[in-house]
Amino acid sequence: MGYKKITIAAMIARKLKAHGVRRMFGIPGGGSSLDLIAECASQGIIFQLAKREDSAVIMAAVTAELTGTPGVVLTTKGPGISNAMNGVAYASLDRAPVLVFTDGFSPDLQSYVTHQVFDQKAMLQPITKGHSLLTSTDPEAELDRLLLLTMQPPVGPVHVELTAVLAGKKITVTDHRPQTTHVQNEIKPNQRANSLIAGAKRPVIIIGLEARDTVVAQKIVELVERLRCPALVTYKAKGVIADSHVSNMGIFTGGKVEQTCVSKSDLIILIGLDPVELILKPWPYNIPVLDIALIRHKPHYTLATETLYGALAPSLDLLQSQASPSIWTKNELVAIKNDIDSRMQFVGRRDLNPQSIVQMAQRAASSRPRITVDAGAHMISATAFSQASEPFDLLISNGLATMGFAVPAAVAAALENPSRGALAFTGDGGFMMCASELALAAQTKAKLLVIVFNDASLSLISIKQRSRNMVKRGTEWPRLNFAKIAVGLGCHAWQVENVVDYQRALQNAFALNGPSLIDVVLDPDGYAEQLAALRG
């Protein structure tokens, strides 16, 4: 085994490359981030300069979700990392493995320097899994520990503070140091779980974000088809079972609309469900629950009758032999699906409405772009009526449910898979929070289309305001022309107000290779009924 002396920054770059990292994001300061950019470039790792730190972390997190490798973001100390907090919170609550590198404060200056100084570790501690200054006697082992920690369920961000002096310090490393990998617990046969599956006449399967794996998804489909039972997915699990599958009843949020299906069951099988995805409502079912998950989640909305914790694929293999056809009929499933769809329909005064905007956009696309969805009232139509056939076909912030997600997520998705590209659905409020990232999309010629639902308001908040019989205040602004903003940032763009112009704009946008935007002026009437149907 050979030994050599290299800088800590070089060691980090080598380690990131060994873990499959190909791209990182951020806004550098004048400290260690410059060392990391230089050393990572020598390893073939691209640095993408974002316009906002929170967007940079979202891009890194989405890249991690799509690749299965750690995401990497670089920020300066002080205002840089404080502005990144929303993105770090996304990585934490939406379960994305991200290494957050921030410039650090030199110990020899801390006796008198106060400019930009605060306790960065303390600020991030509630939403990160670990922290290091890499000042131990073995910084390589310390980085290995953080890389392992960020990938252990529930996956999430870790934080490294690194000074420029330390980044340039030389350490001894080995040429072939073994990578530390997480070892899953062995899944053992569970007689009670087998009995629940074997005895169920009307089981229903609810699929969550932990199941977003190609192998796991295939095993879930096999189980669903063996049981001939209905299945529902959380927002982030869309595509684990295709929307077109006869057993897919739609979205599960913990709300009202899915109760038509779930309340008729005699066994609820949770597969990979992380309760971070559910809305704040009590569990409404007095039905046995089999919880199959990577780990035990605490707190949870329900107390499971039986549990299987560990790798999902082996758990599903154990249950396959006990599964036999249920008494659900195909006609019954079709009727339930039609009932759920009918209650989710957008009832408005115009033919250009959130539902038709989503459906027409996806029909016009030829490259199966990944769909990204921002938080807001338009999210209901975007998740209910878009079509997904594989995990990660739809990307959304659900654990955090943050606005300003869709555009940076679309940029990351388009950079990760240029041939597919991305289609972002965002409200006008969310778009204004991250519009500057279109400049990065233009610079990289990313293949993406952003569709802005321009209703001049925070529609979801306005609905809640009206439901409390309050006067509408603080939820509206003058209607803006987002197409002009997009053109100024280097994109092609159109503002439309009718179906004909919208279809023409879609045709033009999908004929382009670079980024574009369609600003759709619409009436928000109908959102309230959709929200009531979904959540109750």
Side-chain angles (χ1 to χ4, degrees):
M1 185 178 290
Y3 296 87
K4 62 172 65 175
K5 276 192 169 291
I6 61 174
T7 66
I8 287 180
M11 178 273 292
I12 293 171
R14 292 194 345 163
K15 191 72 66 175
L16 295 179
K17 182 180 180 181
H19 278 77
V21 175
R22 300 193 301 267
R23 180 177 283 107
M24 56 187 184
F25 301 86
I27 301 177
S32 63
S33 51
L34 298 181
D35 299 90
L36 291 176
I37 290 171
E39 292 294 346
C40 285
S42 69
Q43 297 292 328
I45 299 173
I46 300 168
F47 175 73
Q48 301 287 359
L49 175 62
K51 304 302 172 284
R52 288 180 56 90
E53 288 88 352
D54 51 355
S55 293
V57 188
I58 289 172
M59 293 178 197
V62 167
T63 300
E65 290 177 282
L66 295 180
T67 62
T69 60
V72 181
V73 67
L74 311 179
T75 80
T76 187
K77 59 183 178 291
I81 187 55
S82 61
N83 199 39
M85 285 292 288
N86 186 54
V88 181
Y90 168 80
S92 176
L93 292 180
D94 280 274
R95 315 309 193 202
V98 176
L99 277 78
V100 181
F101 288 95
T102 64
D103 290 336
F105 302 102
S106 297
D108 58 331
L109 302 179
Q110 290 180 7
S111 61
Y112 65 90
V113 172
T114 58
H115 178 64
Q116 295 185 332
V117 175
F118 58 86
D119 192 337
Q120 299 182 147
K121 175 185 177 182
M123 183 180 72
L124 268 72
Q125 195 162 19
I127 53 173
T128 52
K129 297 183 67 180
H131 170 272
S132 178
L133 300 170
L134 297 188
T135 53
S136 69
T137 56
D138 191 348
E140 187 177 9
E142 186 66 8
L143 185 60
D144 281 335
R145 180 187 70 82
L146 290 177
L147 284 162
L148 178 61
L149 186 61
T150 194
M151 298 296 289
Q152 286 178 331
V155 299
V158 295
H159 177 208
V160 179
E161 285 187 88
L162 186 65
T163 66
V165 171
L166 196 64
K169 178 183 176 181
K170 289 199 171 183
I171 59 172
T172 301
V173 299
T174 61
D175 285 335
H176 304 289
R177 186 165 184 153
Q179 272 188 208
T180 305
T181 57
H182 175 58
V183 178
Q184 292 279 3
N185 293 331
E186 182 185 357
I187 307 300
K188 298 180 180 179
N190 184 307
Q191 186 58 46
R192 194 174 182 197
N194 289 342
S195 297
L196 285 172
I197 291 283
K201 302 299 182 185
R202 301 175 69 85
V204 63
I205 290 177
I206 299 171
I207 305 163
L209 66 83
E210 291 179 349
R212 295 174 301 166
D213 173 87
T214 303
V215 173
V216 171
Q218 181 58 44
K219 291 181 183 295
I220 290 174
V221 172
E222 291 171 1
L223 181 62
V224 168
E225 292 178 347
R226 188 182 289 264
L227 291 171
R228 298 180 190 171
C229 72
L232 298 105
V233 297
T234 62
Y235 289 139
K236 292 185 80 77
K238 248 182 99 73
V240 171
I241 179 170
D243 285 296
S244 59
H245 196 288
V246 67
S247 288
N248 189 333
M249 299 294 104
I251 299 294
F252 184 89
T253 67
K256 179 181 178 182
V257 70
E258 66 261 17
Q259 292 179 20
T260 300
C261 175
V262 181
S263 62
K264 296 178 181 179
S265 70
D266 61 0
L267 175 65
I268 299 172
I269 306 171
L270 308 179
I271 304 179
L273 179 72
D274 187 326
V276 75
E277 289 204 81
L278 304 186
I279 62 175
L280 300 175
K281 283 184 176 290
W283 187 257
Y285 309 107
N286 186 21
I287 299 169
V289 173
L290 172 59
D291 186 19
I292 306 168
L294 295 177
I295 59 170
R296 181 187 296 274
H297 293 284
K298 294 182 179 181
H300 207 299
Y301 283 76
T302 182
L303 181 63
T305 310
E306 189 52 69
T307 62
L308 283 172
Y309 295 137
L312 297 185
S315 293
L316 294 169
D317 286 338
L318 289 175
L319 297 176
Q320 290 286 358
S321 62
Q322 304 301 317
S324 58
S326 66
I327 65 171
W328 294 99
T329 67
K330 184 176 180 180
N331 288 342
E332 191 176 10
L333 297 184
V334 170
I336 291 173
K337 176 63 173 174
N338 289 340
D339 176 67
I340 291 174
D341 284 350
S342 67
R343 285 195 278 161
M344 293 301 299
Q345 296 286 326
F346 189 92
V347 181
R349 295 190 295 269
R350 300 176 58 188
D351 54 0
L352 188 62
N353 58 57
Q355 181 179 333
S356 65
I357 289 168
V358 170
Q359 291 173 323
M360 283 191 284
Q362 199 166 24
R363 284 197 298 265
S366 59
S367 61
R368 285 188 63 245
R370 282 197 168 93
I371 293 174
T372 67
V373 182
D374 218 275
H378 68 282
M379 173 185 71
I380 302 170
S381 290
T383 53
F385 296 105
S386 62
Q387 296 295 301
S389 58
E390 298 175 357
F392 301 107
D393 277 356
L394 182 138
L395 302 167
I396 188 170
S397 173
N398 196 18
L400 182 63
T402 183
M403 295 171 67
F405 169 82
V407 172
V411 173
L415 291 176
E416 179 55 36
N417 193 324
S419 61
R420 285 189 67 175
L423 172 60
F425 293 118
T426 180
D428 42 5
F431 177 70
M432 286 189 283
M433 296 179 181
C434 57
S436 58
E437 299 307 336
L438 287 182
L440 174 57
Q443 178 186 351
T444 57
K445 297 181 173 58
K447 182 180 179 180
L448 66 90
L449 169 60
V450 177
I451 296 179
V452 182
F453 293 71
N454 187 351
D455 56 17
S457 69
L458 292 169
S459 295
L460 192 58
I461 308 306
S462 181
I463 292 168
K464 295 177 181 180
Q465 196 173 48
R466 291 198 304 273
S467 72
R468 297 175 59 185
N469 297 316
M470 301 175 75
V471 176
K472 186 183 291 186
R473 289 193 180 98
T475 58
E476 296 180 311
W477 46 76
R479 199 179 297 275
L480 304 176
N481 190 320
F482 297 108
K484 289 185 177 180
I485 295 173
V487 169
L489 290 168
C491 302
H492 296 275
W494 306 264
Q495 186 176 68
V496 302
E497 298 186 33
N498 58 68
V499 168
V500 173
D501 288 345
Y502 179 56
Q503 290 177 324
R504 184 180 299 115
L506 286 171
Q507 183 178 5
N508 290 335
F510 284 123
L512 299 169
N513 288 323
S516 56
L517 176 143
I518 303 177
D519 175 2
V520 186
V521 177
L522 77 156
D523 187 339
D525 178 54
Y527 278 137
E529 290 79 3
Q530 268 192 324
L531 185 63
L534 178 68
R535 297 184 178 178

